Amino acid sequence: MKLLKRTLLIITISLASTLQAQNTENENKSSLDKESYYQKRAKEDAKYEQEFSAKTKEEEKQFWKDQKAYEKNLKKKDKKAYKAYMQGKKDAYAEHYNECNHHCHHSDHYYSHASFYYYRYNDYYYERSPRSRSINTNVRVNTPSVKLGLF
């Protein structure tokens, strides 16, 4: 009787561990699918942003505001998906940076947001404005101090 109970216990434990391993494998697979989906979505969004041309300043401002709201909501809802999305955006912006020279005409809003996704855009964005050629020099004049003491 003891042998039968032990055998059933061993079989039950091995079946439970096998089922748990299969569930973990399925969860990992769905996690990878979710990550690849959000990376692909981010690359599509980045391409749309790079080609976006607003008719008015207000329309452009609203577009970028909506985009930031989407990212903020995704971060609240699912951090893994947000990380995958942001990585996809960074990759897409880095790729576009290498292809985009002075022939691309992006708005100031674009460069402002692009610098968030890819750090090298920061330099490009600020190079667009003329640099000042003034030199600042600080001159400091100290007067000698005299101390008097009584003995």
Side-chain angles (χ1 to χ4, degrees):
M1 187 70 174
K2 283 185 177 182
L3 182 62
L4 182 63
K5 286 182 179 179
R6 286 184 183 166
T7 307
L8 286 174
L9 180 65
I10 291 172
I11 291 172
T12 306
I13 291 173
S14 64
L15 282 175
S17 65
T18 303
L19 289 174
Q20 181 63 27
Q22 288 176 351
N23 286 340
T24 305
E25 185 178 306
N26 287 339
E27 287 174 10
N28 289 340
K29 193 174 184 180
S30 68
S31 176
L32 287 174
D33 290 343
K34 186 190 317 185
E35 287 179 20
S36 64
Y37 166 77
Y38 278 103
Q39 284 182 346
K40 183 180 175 188
R41 170 82 190 266
K43 288 179 182 180
E44 291 169 357
D45 287 353
K47 183 176 172 126
Y48 181 78
E49 291 168 4
Q50 290 154 2
E51 295 172 354
F52 178 73
S53 177
K55 294 175 182 159
T56 64
K57 292 275 186 189
E58 190 60 37
E59 180 184 357
E60 182 177 18
K61 192 175 181 180
Q62 187 61 42
F63 170 78
W64 288 106
K65 187 177 178 182
D66 291 344
Q67 187 60 33
K68 283 295 175 186
Y70 171 77
E71 291 171 6
K72 191 175 182 179
N73 289 336
L74 183 61
K75 186 176 184 179
K76 283 181 185 177
K77 198 167 57 171
D78 190 350
K79 290 202 185 255
K80 281 187 178 182
Y82 173 76
K83 285 182 180 181
Y85 184 82
M86 293 309 287
Q87 187 59 50
K89 278 268 186 118
K90 287 177 184 178
D91 294 344
Y93 273 85
E95 185 179 315
H96 183 71
Y97 178 84
N98 292 330
E99 295 171 0
C100 180
N101 293 327
H102 296 290
H103 69 276
C104 289
H105 301 288
H106 298 296
S107 68
D108 289 340
H109 280 287
Y110 172 84
Y111 288 112
S112 173
H113 290 277
S115 66
F116 177 75
Y117 301 119
Y118 188 62
Y119 71 95
R120 294 183 88 184
Y121 269 106
N122 236 353
D123 298 336
Y124 181 74
Y125 177 67
Y126 290 114
E127 281 180 19
R128 295 178 68 215
S129 61
R131 295 181 183 236
S132 65
R133 300 209 181 256
S134 64
I135 297 173
N136 294 331
T137 306
N138 292 329
V139 177
R140 189 174 178 188
V141 177
N142 287 333
T143 57
S145 64
V146 177
K147 294 182 183 179
L148 295 176
L150 296 174
F151 291 99

